[in-house]
Amino acid sequence: MWKKWKESEFYQKLKQVRVNRAVYMTAIIILLSFSVILAVTVATNRANKKGDDTLPTPDISDTVPEAPSDTTPDGGNDSEPTIKDTVPELCLPVSTGVLSKRHSVDAQVFSPTMNDYRVHLGVDISTEASAPVSAVADGTVAQLWEDPMMGWCLAIDHAGDSVSVYKNLAADFAEGIAVGESVKAGQIIGHVGDTAMMEIAEEPHLHLELTVGGIQVDPMEYFSESVKTALTEDSIYESENGK
């Protein structure tokens, strides 16, 4: 009898109703859970937004560093160069002479010795052979060396991160001249020679170079106007040689 009951049409319909009810209940529970989660999320976002709107404005004065002062405690200005930071005005490295070749790094000049055109990193001052060569400013002897092409050379450190370089010198430097020794402007450091193989075909001269901050510059820019005039007037050198 029980078997017939389970196989009856009424039982089957009742069973189907129970299954459908379970499905509906599951769907309703899922929808209710999703609604609760959505409502909680919206409420949380609104609370966070409201909290952001009420946050105090940060005091940027506590985070921005003060600009460095350009003045010293005594009211001076640190940006103004001191004597040690200034390139000195140069004096004549030879007592008599004439500018025979200018500084030229942009345009090449003709080299009689090499029979070609090339840049010229210094200035050539024509003078008598063995003429005394003087330091162009106060400083310290930095280097003494023999260059294969420019002969005997001497470098002196000066203020303002400047270095004067003397080339084509005679082999014998002046007495007391050595690396580390201090020299004064006008002090004799050596003599004009003929040791520069690259310029051997030219008349006796001093090859003078100048660097500032490690960069080659034109020494003529650091001479006084009177020195420039003296170096560019041929009559000075000619009169000394009886011409």
Side-chain angles (χ1 to χ4, degrees):
M1 182 176 181
W2 174 251
K3 183 176 180 181
K4 290 182 179 181
W5 164 252
K6 291 178 63 177
E7 293 176 353
S8 65
E9 182 179 353
F10 177 77
Y11 178 80
Q12 294 298 327
K13 290 182 178 180
L14 181 62
K15 183 177 179 182
Q16 184 65 38
V17 169
R18 289 179 178 177
V19 172
N20 292 339
R21 182 180 297 175
V23 172
Y24 294 151
M25 290 300 295
T26 301
I28 291 171
I29 292 173
I30 292 174
L31 290 174
L32 289 175
S33 299
F34 178 76
S35 299
V36 171
I37 293 173
L38 181 61
V40 171
T41 302
V42 171
T44 302
N45 290 339
R46 288 179 178 177
N48 290 339
K49 183 177 180 181
K50 184 177 181 180
D52 293 339
D53 294 339
T54 57
L55 288 176
T57 302
D59 184 2
I60 61 174
S61 63
D62 294 336
T63 58
V64 179
E66 294 183 359
S69 174
D70 290 336
T71 58
T72 56
D74 59 357
N77 193 326
D78 288 339
S79 62
E80 294 180 356
T82 62
I83 294 177
K84 291 184 179 180
D85 298 329
T86 305
V87 179
E89 185 176 82
L90 308 184
C91 67
L92 274 171
V94 291
S95 58
T96 58
V98 63
L99 184 66
S100 57
K101 188 179 292 184
R102 293 182 177 274
H103 176 270
S104 178
V105 294
D106 298 322
Q108 295 183 336
V109 295
F110 183 72
S111 169
T113 304
M114 307 304 293
N115 195 32
D116 63 8
Y117 287 85
R118 58 184 61 212
V119 296
H120 194 245
L121 299 180
V123 294
D124 288 349
I125 303 175
S126 298
T127 185
E128 298 177 348
S130 301
V133 176
S134 304
V136 294
D138 295 351
T140 303
V141 177
Q143 190 177 1
L144 304 170
W145 76 102
E146 184 179 15
D147 184 274
M149 300 302 291
M150 293 304 296
W152 284 100
C153 309
L154 184 151
I156 300 177
D157 287 336
H158 306 288
D161 196 19
S162 59
V163 180
S164 59
V165 182
Y166 312 78
K167 297 183 177 181
N168 194 37
L169 297 175
D172 296 329
F173 296 101
E175 184 177 356
I177 297 300
V179 174
E181 293 294 325
S182 297
V183 294
K184 293 293 184 179
Q187 178 179 338
I188 296 176
I189 56 176
H191 297 81
V192 172
D194 57 356
T195 58
M197 300 305 297
M198 184 179 288
E199 298 180 350
I200 195 66
E202 301 175 32
E203 57 191 332
H205 68 277
L206 168 69
H207 179 95
L208 176 67
E209 296 180 8
L210 182 69
T211 64
V212 177
I215 300 174
Q216 295 280 164
V217 297
D218 186 356
M220 292 293 289
E221 295 181 0
Y222 296 86
F223 286 122
S224 66
E225 290 302 320
S226 60
V227 171
K228 292 179 183 179
T229 301
L231 286 175
T232 54
E233 289 184 357
D234 294 351
S235 59
I236 294 179
Y237 178 60
E238 292 173 356
S239 63
E240 290 293 335
N241 286 272
K243 297 180 180 180

